[in-house]
Amino acid sequence: MTQAPQNTSAKVMKLNRVERNAWTKRRIFDAATKIVGKYGYAEASVARITEEAGVAQGTFYNHFENRQQLLDQLLPKIGVDMVRFIRERTGTAHAAKQEIERFGAFFDFIREVPEFLRILNEAEFFAATGYQKHLDNVSTAYVRILRRARDAGAIDGFSDEEFEAIVHMFMGARGYLSRRYSYTEGAVTAVPDHVISAYEKLITRGLFTLPAKGNGDDR
Amino acid sequence: MTQAPQNTSAKVMKLNRVERNAWTKRRIFDAATKIVGKYGYAEASVARITEEAGVAQGTFYNHFENRQQLLDQLLPKIGVDMVRFIRERTGTAHAAKQEIERFGAFFDFIREVPEFLRILNEAEFFAATGYQKHLDNVSTAYVRILRRARDAGAIDGFSDEEFEAIVHMFMGARGYLSRRYSYTEGAVTAVPDHVISAYEKLITRGLFTLPAKGNGDDR
Amino acid sequence: MTQAPQNTSAKVMKLNRVERNAWTKRRIFDAATKIVGKYGYAEASVARITEEAGVAQGTFYNHFENRQQLLDQLLPKIGVDMVRFIRERTGTAHAAKQEIERFGAFFDFIREVPEFLRILNEAEFFAATGYQKHLDNVSTAYVRILRRARDAGAIDGFSDEEFEAIVHMFMGARGYLSRRYSYTEGAVTAVPDHVISAYEKLITRGLFTLPAKGNGDDR
Amino acid sequence: MTQAPQNTSAKVMKLNRVERNAWTKRRIFDAATKIVGKYGYAEASVARITEEAGVAQGTFYNHFENRQQLLDQLLPKIGVDMVRFIRERTGTAHAAKQEIERFGAFFDFIREVPEFLRILNEAEFFAATGYQKHLDNVSTAYVRILRRARDAGAIDGFSDEEFEAIVHMFMGARGYLSRRYSYTEGAVTAVPDHVISAYEKLITRGLFTLPAKGNGDDR
DNA sequence: TATGAATGAGGCTTCATTCAT
DNA sequence: GATGAATGAAGCCTCATTCAT
């Protein structure tokens, strides 16, 4: 999990040159995470990031090729944390139940790493490369999960292509829900229960009750 | 529907002062729509917009307080067009079928007004005010639709609060799907059939087949 | 001839918009001439130029695409002045005498426009485009002059290609001589007479006295 | 002649401390020669030079006071090579012939050491001190040669001061000619014959044929 | 002596906004 | 109301030089 740097200086910690170097890079990276999470990519100027990191602007370029290159690393790095976080919280119960667990874990992760939300959502426009990378990561893994569920008989009647579409619906849903429900007065909060229950109902029995017998009305 | 300005100058059209004024404002607005749709908010500088509109930079500030104020109007305005477009294409069939029609109509609208996609997706970060306004518009209307479907017996077992959550899932799904499937080599294209079918299945019967009888496995 | 701007403000001069615009551009151009002449291209930052011109840095970009574009215009512009200056000082005497006049006029011009020397000499490296343009201008005109002298019988035994080489020798000679003899304690001064006389002898009778009869020693 | 460093490391060569030190300095120096010759002084950053030399940036400052100090040594050092090179190729024939030999040898040297051209030509502006030093070296030696030719009766009617002027003309001529004729598609090439012949004619019989008898045409 | 990260001044350019005409 | 030049803050990045290890 991405951690804030300990409030201890490199000197006090008696690091050697290599460690010192890594430590500085990490500080810049963490500062960027913080700034982007708080103000968004657009406001994450090199000046602001380095100030937050407590280093000179020039130092930035000793560790990253340019501003964009750093920004592009932000999402994939945290994204990996997210995937791991969610996996750790997914049990071995029935597939539908697991999906609910994943859904809930996503919102838990957001509370754990509040920066994630903004870093994820803005990435499409400000860090396209990193965004694509993240999306591929997640959707591939997600489709695999669904496929296994189908193999196990927990899902029926969906093709692989449809899985991909479903996965995008799920990801999109999470994004919108988190923006709508995870913020309360500036703080990141838990999602209300009715969001969870709505999701659960949707994925287990759908939204609509169809008429008793399919009449000729349907396509 | 947002229209491109006619290729006729105000002088030729013999407009009076008030009309002339409105006409200029409209040209700037349409130019902004075009520019943002094509290059995104970040690239939509006042210089670029006014150039596209064929007026001087200073003129911009005779019609809009500042750049942001114009950008904030973009999405709500075009969003109203979208809602109307979709309503016009929704029949009187069974509620589930109507939802599929709405879903399809959304992607049709995107092809009709290609600028919409980018204006919508980026708005959250570049035109937060307008984005919120649009979201409220759409979700209110959407919830009302679902409520009516429930009243008509086409939906069962969802509370009003859950409807709101569902609506956000739907909106988010559309956003992600459009970004994933509506672009092909720069052009805006129709969404593949399997996306439609996946959505249809999801909302009518859910994703997962539950075990025959709920055993003690559940928490 | 490039002139320093009058010490009168645009306001006092009651210029209209177009004149005002041209006046500002001119002020920037003249400031650049002055700065480059005094400190060289490398030190001619936009900040320095605009400060000298008394305008804001941003104003620079209302009149020139970028720094380089302005620098590239410097030499050709002054170069034209130089050619005119020299032509005006060339009489109708014998061709050899005219060449001496041109030679002298070159050094006179340098005193008239002290910035020229540095602008010319550094241009090759800092304003390659402008330099090439200037060189072509001058060498074409110069070759034409020599050709006419040959047609008039004042030169004999040189081919067109050789003329081009000769012209480059002459231009190079002037450059080196000016750097060596035109500066005295920071000020630009007249070239000593012996420079003129040496040049005159060189071009009229060559440097070396050949042995009475060409013996077999020659290739 | 400036040589590329042997591809053998100091360790392999088992050098002692002093030798090792000199060896490192030499590597930096040679790297600078190469970089400046290829990219020019302006692009010859300390970072680039040390990278080429295979040492750390800090090492640079153990051997040279600062960047400029190194740059200032470049031309004088290589200039000495040039003088030696030319002297070795100058025979004992008639003075005029010797001068042609020197002229040709200059262009031969440029092909032998392609870096020289750029180092020489840019030095005036980027390494003024070194340039002045080089100029003094060369012109002093050159004037001495001419004086001897005069003593030997091969030159007549030129004063010492005029010699100095002549020498500057010759140096300038070479500079311009080399820039004009020594480059062909990026590579350094031989100068065309007509350049040599034009020079030969100029210095042996001058450019202009004077009217049979000096008539009253002169002012 | 060698290293290479850290520094911070300074360079170029963009752009929203103002204001005199 | 329309114009468009002027403004100046702010952004990204480079680079010579220093210094602790």
Side-chain angles (χ1 to χ4, degrees):
Chain A
M1 192 104 6
T2 307
Q3 302 257 169
Q6 304 299 318
N7 188 11
T8 41
S9 91
K11 285 181 186 170
V12 167
M13 294 161 73
K14 293 240 172 122
L15 301 176
N16 66 25
R17 272 247 279 262
V18 172
E19 290 167 333
R20 190 68 183 267
N21 191 14
W23 189 75
T24 302
K25 180 168 186 171
R26 176 62 183 270
R27 280 179 61 197
I28 295 173
F29 195 92
D30 289 341
T33 302
K34 200 166 164 183
I35 296 292
V36 174
K38 198 163 182 180
Y39 304 105
Y41 289 86
E43 305 290 311
S45 66
V46 173
R48 218 167 184 173
I49 292 171
T50 50
E51 191 197 25
E52 173 75 30
V55 299
Q57 277 201 56
T59 302
F60 185 97
Y61 295 90
N62 289 331
H63 297 278
F64 300 94
E65 289 214 354
N66 52 44
R67 178 178 172 269
Q68 193 58 52
Q69 194 226 22
L70 165 57
L71 297 187
D72 277 332
Q73 295 179 29
L74 247 35
L75 178 55
K77 193 119 167 189
I78 302 196
V80 167
D81 291 340
M82 181 200 72
V83 169
R84 188 182 332 112
F85 182 97
I86 291 177
R87 188 163 33 230
E88 287 169 357
R89 274 153 192 78
T90 311
T92 56
H94 183 271
K97 193 162 177 18
Q98 282 184 30
E99 173 59 22
I100 306 299
E101 287 167 351
R102 278 193 293 273
F103 185 74
F106 175 82
F107 296 101
D108 291 342
F109 181 74
I110 283 173
R111 279 193 296 159
E112 203 83 19
V113 187
E115 294 88 4
F116 178 67
L117 205 52
R118 197 146 188 183
I119 290 176
L120 169 65
N121 288 332
E122 292 192 18
E124 181 182 1
F125 309 108
F126 293 101
T129 305
Y131 180 73
Q132 205 43 249
K133 205 168 157 185
H134 172 76
L135 231 59
D136 291 347
N137 283 349
V138 172
S139 78
T140 308
Y142 215 147
V143 165
R144 201 182 310 124
I145 289 174
L146 294 186
R147 214 141 46 185
R148 284 194 194 134
R150 188 180 54 193
D151 293 345
I155 295 180
D156 187 39
F158 282 83
S159 69
D160 280 14
E161 283 179 320
E162 285 172 338
F163 276 159
E164 201 201 48
I166 290 288
V167 161
H168 279 82
M169 292 179 205
F170 284 4
M171 294 192 298
R174 277 161 211 203
Y176 263 56
L177 289 171
S178 61
R179 285 170 234 171
R180 169 66 184 82
Y181 295 106
S182 289
Y183 281 124
T184 307
E185 295 163 19
V188 179
T189 56
V191 163
D193 280 344
H194 67 258
V195 172
I196 309 281
S197 64
Y199 188 73
E200 180 168 11
K201 290 175 196 170
L202 182 69
I203 65 170
T204 52
R205 53 189 182 81
L207 177 62
F208 295 96
T209 2
L210 291 180
K213 7 187 142 191
N215 53 20
D217 180 68
D218 287 322
R219 218 188 314 178
Chain B
M1 193 105 8
T2 307
Q3 302 258 166
Q6 304 298 319
N7 187 10
T8 42
S9 89
K11 284 181 186 169
V12 167
M13 293 160 73
K14 295 239 172 117
L15 302 175
N16 65 28
R17 188 132 42 126
V18 173
E19 289 168 333
R20 189 78 181 257
N21 197 355
W23 187 77
T24 302
K25 181 167 186 172
R26 175 62 184 270
R27 282 185 63 193
I28 295 173
F29 195 91
D30 289 341
T33 302
K34 201 165 163 183
I35 295 293
V36 174
K38 199 163 181 180
Y39 305 104
Y41 289 86
E43 304 288 312
S45 63
V46 173
R48 214 165 185 174
I49 292 170
T50 51
E51 191 198 27
E52 173 76 29
V55 299
Q57 280 198 58
T59 304
F60 185 96
Y61 292 89
N62 290 330
H63 298 278
F64 301 93
E65 273 195 21
N66 53 42
R67 177 176 174 270
Q68 194 58 51
Q69 194 226 20
L70 164 58
L71 297 185
D72 277 331
Q73 296 179 31
L74 247 37
L75 178 56
K77 191 119 167 189
I78 208 172
V80 167
D81 291 340
M82 181 200 72
V83 169
R84 188 181 334 113
F85 181 97
I86 292 177
R87 186 161 37 229
E88 287 168 357
R89 272 153 193 78
T90 312
T92 57
H94 183 270
K97 194 164 178 19
Q98 282 184 31
E99 173 59 20
I100 307 300
E101 287 167 351
R102 277 193 294 274
F103 186 74
F106 174 83
F107 296 102
D108 291 343
F109 181 74
I110 281 173
R111 281 192 296 160
E112 203 82 20
V113 187
E115 295 88 5
F116 178 67
L117 203 52
R118 197 146 189 184
I119 290 175
L120 169 65
N121 288 333
E122 293 192 18
E124 181 183 359
F125 312 109
F126 293 99
T129 306
Y131 182 72
Q132 205 43 250
K133 204 168 159 187
H134 171 75
L135 234 57
D136 292 347
N137 283 349
V138 173
S139 78
T140 308
Y142 214 148
V143 165
R144 200 182 310 126
I145 288 173
L146 294 186
R147 213 141 50 188
R148 284 193 193 134
R150 188 180 54 193
D151 293 347
I155 295 180
D156 187 38
F158 283 83
S159 70
D160 279 14
E161 284 179 320
E162 286 172 336
F163 276 159
E164 202 201 47
I166 290 288
V167 161
H168 279 82
M169 293 178 205
F170 285 4
M171 292 192 298
R174 278 161 211 203
Y176 262 56
L177 290 172
S178 62
R179 284 172 234 174
R180 168 66 184 81
Y181 296 104
S182 288
Y183 280 124
T184 308
E185 296 163 20
V188 178
T189 56
V191 161
D193 280 344
H194 67 258
V195 172
I196 309 281
S197 64
Y199 188 73
E200 181 168 9
K201 291 175 195 170
L202 181 70
I203 66 169
T204 53
R205 53 188 182 82
L207 177 62
F208 294 95
T209 9
L210 290 180
K213 5 187 143 192
N215 53 21
D217 180 68
D218 288 322
R219 215 186 316 176
Chain C
M1 194 106 6
T2 307
Q3 302 259 167
Q6 304 299 318
N7 187 11
T8 42
S9 90
K11 286 181 188 169
V12 167
M13 294 161 73
K14 293 239 173 124
L15 301 175
N16 66 26
R17 272 247 280 260
V18 172
E19 289 167 334
R20 186 79 177 263
N21 191 14
W23 189 75
T24 302
K25 181 167 186 171
R26 177 62 184 270
R27 279 180 62 199
I28 295 172
F29 195 91
D30 289 340
T33 302
K34 200 166 163 183
I35 296 291
V36 173
K38 197 163 181 180
Y39 303 105
Y41 288 87
E43 304 290 312
S45 66
V46 172
R48 216 166 185 174
I49 292 170
T50 50
E51 191 196 27
E52 172 76 29
V55 299
Q57 276 201 57
T59 302
F60 184 96
Y61 294 90
N62 289 331
H63 298 277
F64 300 93
E65 289 214 355
N66 52 44
R67 178 177 171 270
Q68 193 58 52
Q69 194 225 20
L70 164 58
L71 297 186
D72 276 332
Q73 294 179 28
L74 248 36
L75 178 55
K77 193 117 166 190
I78 301 196
V80 167
D81 290 341
M82 181 200 72
V83 169
R84 187 181 335 111
F85 182 97
I86 291 178
R87 187 161 35 228
E88 287 169 356
R89 273 152 193 78
T90 311
T92 56
H94 183 271
K97 192 162 178 16
Q98 281 184 32
E99 174 59 21
I100 306 298
E101 286 167 351
R102 278 192 294 273
F103 186 73
F106 174 83
F107 296 102
D108 291 343
F109 181 74
I110 282 173
R111 281 193 296 159
E112 202 82 19
V113 187
E115 295 88 5
F116 178 67
L117 205 51
R118 196 146 189 184
I119 290 176
L120 168 66
N121 289 332
E122 292 193 19
E124 180 181 1
F125 309 108
F126 293 100
T129 305
Y131 181 72
Q132 205 43 251
K133 205 168 157 185
H134 172 75
L135 231 59
D136 291 347
N137 282 348
V138 172
S139 78
T140 308
Y142 215 148
V143 166
R144 199 181 313 125
I145 288 174
L146 294 186
R147 213 141 49 186
R148 283 196 193 132
R150 187 180 55 194
D151 294 345
I155 295 180
D156 187 39
F158 283 83
S159 71
D160 280 14
E161 283 179 319
E162 285 172 339
F163 276 160
E164 202 201 48
I166 291 287
V167 161
H168 279 82
M169 293 179 205
F170 284 5
M171 293 192 297
R174 278 161 211 203
Y176 264 56
L177 290 171
S178 61
R179 285 171 235 169
R180 168 67 184 82
Y181 295 105
S182 288
Y183 280 122
T184 307
E185 295 163 21
V188 179
T189 55
V191 162
D193 281 345
H194 65 259
V195 172
I196 309 281
S197 64
Y199 189 73
E200 180 168 9
K201 290 175 195 169
L202 181 69
I203 66 170
T204 52
R205 53 186 182 85
L207 177 62
F208 294 95
T209 8
L210 291 180
K213 6 185 140 192
N215 52 20
D217 180 69
D218 286 322
R219 216 188 317 176
Chain D
M1 194 105 7
T2 307
Q3 302 256 168
Q6 303 299 318
N7 187 10
T8 42
S9 89
K11 284 181 186 169
V12 168
M13 293 161 74
K14 295 242 172 114
L15 302 175
N16 65 27
R17 191 135 36 130
V18 173
E19 288 168 333
R20 188 73 182 262
N21 198 354
W23 187 76
T24 302
K25 182 167 185 171
R26 174 62 184 270
R27 281 184 64 194
I28 295 173
F29 195 91
D30 288 341
T33 302
K34 201 166 164 184
I35 296 291
V36 173
K38 199 163 181 180
Y39 304 105
Y41 288 87
E43 304 287 312
S45 65
V46 172
R48 214 166 185 172
I49 292 170
T50 51
E51 191 197 28
E52 173 76 29
V55 299
Q57 280 198 57
T59 304
F60 185 96
Y61 292 88
N62 289 330
H63 297 278
F64 301 94
E65 274 196 23
N66 53 41
R67 178 176 171 269
Q68 194 57 52
Q69 194 226 18
L70 164 58
L71 297 186
D72 277 331
Q73 296 179 32
L74 246 38
L75 178 55
K77 191 118 168 188
I78 209 172
V80 166
D81 290 340
M82 181 200 72
V83 169
R84 187 179 336 110
F85 181 98
I86 291 177
R87 186 161 37 229
E88 286 169 357
R89 272 152 193 79
T90 312
T92 56
H94 183 271
K97 193 164 179 17
Q98 282 184 31
E99 173 59 20
I100 306 299
E101 285 167 351
R102 277 193 294 272
F103 186 73
F106 174 84
F107 295 102
D108 290 343
F109 181 74
I110 281 173
R111 281 193 295 159
E112 202 82 20
V113 186
E115 295 88 6
F116 178 67
L117 202 53
R118 198 148 187 181
I119 290 176
L120 169 66
N121 288 332
E122 293 192 18
E124 180 182 1
F125 311 108
F126 293 99
T129 306
Y131 181 72
Q132 204 44 249
K133 205 167 156 187
H134 171 75
L135 234 57
D136 291 347
N137 283 348
V138 173
S139 78
T140 307
Y142 215 149
V143 165
R144 199 180 313 124
I145 288 173
L146 294 187
R147 213 142 48 186
R148 283 195 195 133
R150 187 180 54 194
D151 293 346
I155 297 179
D156 187 39
F158 282 82
S159 71
D160 280 14
E161 284 178 319
E162 285 172 338
F163 276 159
E164 200 199 47
I166 290 287
V167 161
H168 279 83
M169 293 178 204
F170 284 5
M171 293 191 297
R174 278 161 210 203
Y176 262 56
L177 289 172
S178 61
R179 284 173 235 173
R180 168 69 183 81
Y181 295 105
S182 289
Y183 280 124
T184 307
E185 296 164 19
V188 178
T189 56
V191 161
D193 281 344
H194 66 258
V195 172
I196 309 282
S197 63
Y199 188 73
E200 181 169 9
K201 291 175 195 170
L202 181 70
I203 66 169
T204 52
R205 54 186 183 83
L207 177 62
F208 295 96
T209 2
L210 290 180
K213 7 187 144 189
N215 51 21
D217 179 69
D218 287 323
R219 217 189 309 178

